[in-house]
């Protein structure tokens, strides 16, 4: 993961950062529509509000704790992209939410419009995850959980990811996090959608970057 030349690293770092930006923007757009957040952000939002932390600070702490565990079991999937995600995502979500809420009033939209925008937000989010993961500079601490489990049990990534997200959704709801339509759709569909985007688009883009480097 670290044994790549400078040109390839720059292109893959760009892929990783664009993926992180799409993840954050998709999450913020969904929240702006009052449709809930993806499971991991929802559980972090609920817990951070209960403990009196900002989302950015709390998510940074949780990601660091998960990373410490991942390093013990499967450090080969940890890299610069992991650090980018760990540091940036929580704060970028806060930034995009603040930006979107300054000029979007979801009450002006009919429910069906809010729902359609939320579906677009989920597609942006899952495409961002696929792009970020296929940059192959390391995955986020949360996204590393499913590959670690998949490597040790006879189950597909999308099945493990779905179970993981559903468990987190339930916990987020218990903690009073922003659980809504988006949370449940993401909980059931994130794995298959990430798999789809990876197979059709982002893994091919990564192959082209490697071929040109």
């Amino acid at each position: 993961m670290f044994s790549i030349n400078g040109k390839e690293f720059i292109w893959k770092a760009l892929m990783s950062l664009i993926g992180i930006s799409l993840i954050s923007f998709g999450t913020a757009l969904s929240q702006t529509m009052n449709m809930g957040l993806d499971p991991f952000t929802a559980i972090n939002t609920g817990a951070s509000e209960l403990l009196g932390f900002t989302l950015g600070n709390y998510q940074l702490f949780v990601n660091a704790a998960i990373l410490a565990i991942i390093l013990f079991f499967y450090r080969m999937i940890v890299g610069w992209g992991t650090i980018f995600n760990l540091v940036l995502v929580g704060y970028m979500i806060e930034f995009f939410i603040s930006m979107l809420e300054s000029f979007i009033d979801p009450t002006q939209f009919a429910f069906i419009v809010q729902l359609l925008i939320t579906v677009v937000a989920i597609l942006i989010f899952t495409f961002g995850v696929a792009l970020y993961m296929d940059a192959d500079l390391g995955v986020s601490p949360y996204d590393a959980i499913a590959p670690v489990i998949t490597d040790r049990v006879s189950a597909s990534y999308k099945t493990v990811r779905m179970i993981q997200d559903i468990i987190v959704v339930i916990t987020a709801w218990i903690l009073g996090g922003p659980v809504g339509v988006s949370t449940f759709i993401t909980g059931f569909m994130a794995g298959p959608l990430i798999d789809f985007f990876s197979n059709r688009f982002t893994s091919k883009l990564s192959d082209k970057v490697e071929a040109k480097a």
Side-chain angles (χ1 to χ4, degrees):
M1 194 173 296
F2 291 98
S3 59
I4 58 177
N5 63 50
K7 183 180 178 182
E8 183 180 350
F9 175 79
I10 291 171
W11 279 107
K12 290 202 166 189
L14 183 61
M15 281 180 62
S16 180
L17 291 170
I18 292 173
I20 288 170
S21 299
L22 292 174
I23 291 168
S24 303
F25 181 77
T27 300
L29 182 59
S30 177
Q31 173 65 0
T32 304
M33 290 297 106
N34 293 324
M35 290 289 185
L37 293 167
D38 67 274
F40 187 57
T41 310
I43 192 174
N44 285 336
T45 301
S48 63
E49 290 177 353
L50 285 174
L51 296 172
F53 291 97
T54 65
L55 173 63
N57 289 339
Y58 180 81
Q59 189 148 314
L60 179 63
F61 171 79
V62 170
N63 275 333
I66 296 173
L67 177 60
I69 298 171
I70 297 301
L71 282 171
F72 181 78
F73 287 103
Y74 205 41
R75 67 176 60 196
M76 64 182 295
I77 61 174
V78 174
W80 283 109
T82 311
I83 306 303
F84 297 157
N85 187 290
L86 187 153
V87 174
L88 294 175
V89 168
Y91 297 111
M92 289 183 73
I93 290 171
E94 289 184 324
F95 167 76
F96 282 126
I97 288 176
S98 176
M99 181 187 72
L100 289 169
E101 287 183 343
S102 68
F103 64 88
I104 293 179
D105 179 5
T107 60
Q108 294 179 343
F109 301 121
F111 175 78
I112 187 64
V113 176
Q114 289 179 280
L115 185 60
L116 289 173
I117 293 174
T118 300
V119 170
V120 172
I122 291 169
L123 294 175
I124 293 171
F125 169 83
T126 50
F127 181 82
V129 173
L131 183 64
Y132 166 78
M133 293 179 70
D134 283 326
D136 199 28
L137 287 181
V139 301
S140 75
Y142 180 75
D143 291 326
I145 295 172
V148 168
I149 295 173
T150 302
D151 190 55
R152 286 163 171 75
V153 300
S154 57
S156 67
Y157 166 79
K158 62 183 179 182
T159 300
V160 173
R161 178 61 187 251
M162 190 182 300
I163 294 171
Q164 172 187 322
D165 285 340
I166 291 170
I167 291 171
V168 173
V169 167
I170 294 170
T171 308
W173 177 75
I174 293 171
L175 293 176
V179 174
V181 173
S182 177
T183 318
F184 285 100
I185 294 176
T186 308
F188 283 98
M189 294 302 298
L193 285 171
I194 293 167
D195 212 35
F196 171 80
F197 284 129
S198 177
N199 292 332
R200 297 294 183 91
F201 304 105
T202 56
S203 63
K204 295 177 182 178
L205 177 61
S206 181
D207 290 342
K208 288 182 180 179
V209 168
E210 291 176 3
K212 291 181 178 181

